[in-house]
Amino acid sequence: MNRDTLIGFILIAVVLIGFSWWNQPSQEEVDAYYRQQDSIAAAQANAEKKKAEAQQLVEQQAEAAAQGDTTALFYAALNGTDQPLTLKNDKVELTVNTKGGTISSARMKGFLNRDNTDDVMLFTREGQQMNFILEAKEDNIITRDLFFTPTEATDSTLTLTAPSGSPGGYLQLRYRLGPDYMLHFSLQTVGMGKLFSPTRKTMAIEWEDSCRQQEKGFTFENQRSALTYKKRGGGTDYLTETSDKQETTEDALDWVAFKNQYFSVVLISKDGFEPGAMLTSTPQDKSTHILKYYDARLTTAFDPTGEKPSEFEMYLGPNNFRLLQDVEEQSEFGKDLEMEQLVYLGWPLFRYINRWFTLYVFDWLTSFGFNMGIVLILITLLLKAITYPMVKKSYMSSAKMRVLKPKLDEATKQYDKPEDAMQKQQAMMQLYSQYGVSPLGGCLPMLIQMPIWIAMFNFVPNAIQLRRVSFLWMDDLSTYDPIPVIGQWSEQLWLIGDHLSLTCILFCVSNLLYSYMTMRQQRDQMVGQQAEQMKMMQYMMYVMPLMFFFIFNDYGSGLNFYYFISLFFSAAIMWLLRKTTNDAKLLAILEARYKENQNNPKKQSGLAKRLEEMQKRAAEMQQQQRNAKR
């Protein structure tokens, strides 16, 4: 190991240690974390206390009603029979229970659950609860404790009422299910104006959900499940997916969504949710098959006179970009809801690529009825065809440097000493200029492919069209594909998990092959000590596929398959260009260009020119330092 390589390893170690030290939390951040945990615990304890107080109030009112005290608020609605009622269409089936009067379960028709045995059950009564709290003059009205009476019950409409105890007064919930996944509902008081203070203009909403695991890969799905919300007049945001998080919003909100990887439940308020909404997301253990516990404490407008209902909409359905755009048009509130933001397409640059290119290509290819695996192959071929001219130009730049290598060795052989490195670089740049070769052209393939790779990294895992679609040996393109017989086990292994994904292994092997071909091409054009210095880079390039394995083993087979075929075609293109390039003919072309530019070297421009100028200035400074020492 030479000195430069040793220095390189030392610098890498310093950078890694420095980065780890820089990113360690400060004492203030540690204290803030523990305060946040205490806040979450306090909030949960407060919620339990309120629940106990509400239950005590219900028991007191029920006892008063049993003794004939008709002055108890909602005394007639504190006892009854809990009856399930159904709202349904071709896409979704919802259950509304008469106790509480809210949606207690949601079944997604046409989507198989993780066992492929039945429809997806988005939530059940045991895991999800919505409660409206109205603050009256004497007592709080808590809807989850009331028994409602159904009227106007059809497959798409339902009206529920609960008598208030005052003559002619009642609380009313009305539901109307649209043709797709949008539910319209409202809450209104009738004949109850005297029970409320005229200054009370808001009501509270308590909404809880245990987000169920719907896919085979718990970890992968959990990383793409998040409590998401939209600010009024602004964009969307979400609570972190990886740790406990409680947040109190400073802005008014249009909607709040309990989201998992491929499905969401979105609560929309016509009047919006007021600032100060308390949102909580708590990841759960894998053994529970619950991804996260979501909790939203919201406040919205309420008319105590009963003249104006509090209106809401709820989307219960798949996270399909185009579907969310279409369903949003069914909203009756006239807002720009931007619900398609529930499908994460990446950071701005990559989102732009996915939004205005990948989505349209994907829609066009799927319109022909192709299998999703075929669609991924066709997208790969299309992208390779688009980038081929630039890749070929980049390859030819590298090929020119390769055929010029003997001449570069000869022209720079007198600069073998380490202190002559700057002069050697200048001589090389001058020779490249005379032959009309850009030494930076070989970097173009990676620069071209990287944005596309990252864009697809965000697009494929969030494309619900891949869910439960099989292709070749892959049973489900949206989740990992364990190697048959030996690829899955019950215990969790460090860094690996409980499976080995076959497409991940293929991706890593193809990455290793492509890295080898790329490094060999670069090595063939290196001069002098550059080849030695390149060895450390080679080691890092060979380690990368191993690192990718630990990252992508949990990822869906569709993404790994895309990367595998993308690298396969990249390697095939590089091999084809290498086989069809005539080095002797290429060198003759360069020699002819050299003769043309011998007395008038072609001026460099752009980065190459700036690099040469920097090298000249560095050489001048180095010479000045030598003269000063003398």
Side-chain angles (χ1 to χ4, degrees), residues 422-490:
M422 193 63 67
Q423 291 90 329
K424 184 174 184 177
Q425 288 291 331
Q426 290 178 355
M428 290 172 58
M429 296 297 291
Q430 179 66 24
L431 195 61
Y432 283 141
S433 178
Q434 290 174 333
Y435 278 97
V437 175
S438 173
L440 302 178
C443 302
L444 192 59
M446 185 59 69
L447 297 177
I448 295 170
Q449 296 182 68
M450 188 59 68
I452 298 174
W453 271 48
I454 298 176
M456 294 299 288
F457 176 82
N458 290 295
F459 177 80
V460 175
N462 294 301
I464 193 173
Q465 293 86 345
L466 273 65
R467 187 179 186 272
R468 298 297 184 270
V469 175
S470 61
F471 181 66
L472 299 178
W473 68 89
M474 296 166 280
D475 294 332
D476 185 352
L477 289 171
S478 69
T479 188
Y480 62 85
D481 58 319
I483 298 175
V485 182
I486 63 170
Q488 197 161 13
W489 49 87
S490 58

Side-chain angles (χ1 to χ4, degrees), residues 169-228:
Y170 59 89
L171 183 66
Q172 177 178 271
L173 282 164
R174 303 189 67 179
Y175 293 94
R176 177 167 49 86
L177 180 62
D180 289 315
Y181 300 95
M182 187 72 87
L183 175 70
H184 311 264
F185 69 100
S186 64
L187 183 147
Q188 184 177 15
T189 60
V190 177
M192 296 173 55
K194 295 181 180 180
L195 300 179
F196 299 96
S197 169
T199 60
R200 172 58 62 182
K201 302 291 186 180
T202 62
M203 69 174 176
I205 302 175
E206 298 176 344
W207 186 25
E208 306 169 6
D209 185 26
S210 297
C211 184
R212 298 158 62 96
Q213 178 186 354
Q214 305 291 355
E215 315 305 323
K216 181 170 66 175
F218 180 91
T219 302
F220 189 63
E221 183 182 6
N222 206 1
Q223 292 171 349
R224 280 151 186 79
S225 303
L227 193 158
T228 307

Side-chain angles (χ1 to χ4, degrees), residues 544-593:
M544 286 299 292
L546 180 61
M547 296 175 60
F548 282 149
F549 168 77
F550 295 114
I551 296 173
F552 285 87
N553 190 45
D554 273 329
Y555 276 63
S557 57
L559 182 64
N560 281 316
F561 180 70
Y562 166 77
Y563 283 154
F564 163 62
I565 58 177
S566 179
L567 285 167
F568 174 82
F569 285 124
S570 295
I573 291 172
M574 186 178 295
W575 178 85
L576 180 63
L577 290 171
R578 184 69 176 89
K579 288 297 182 181
T580 56
T581 301
N582 189 321
D583 288 0
K585 184 177 179 180
L586 181 59
L587 181 58
I589 294 173
L590 293 176
E591 290 288 2
R593 185 178 299 169

Side-chain angles (χ1 to χ4, degrees), residues 155-171:
D155 285 347
S156 60
T157 61
L158 175 64
T159 300
L160 298 171
T161 59
S164 68
S166 62
Y170 59 89
L171 183 66

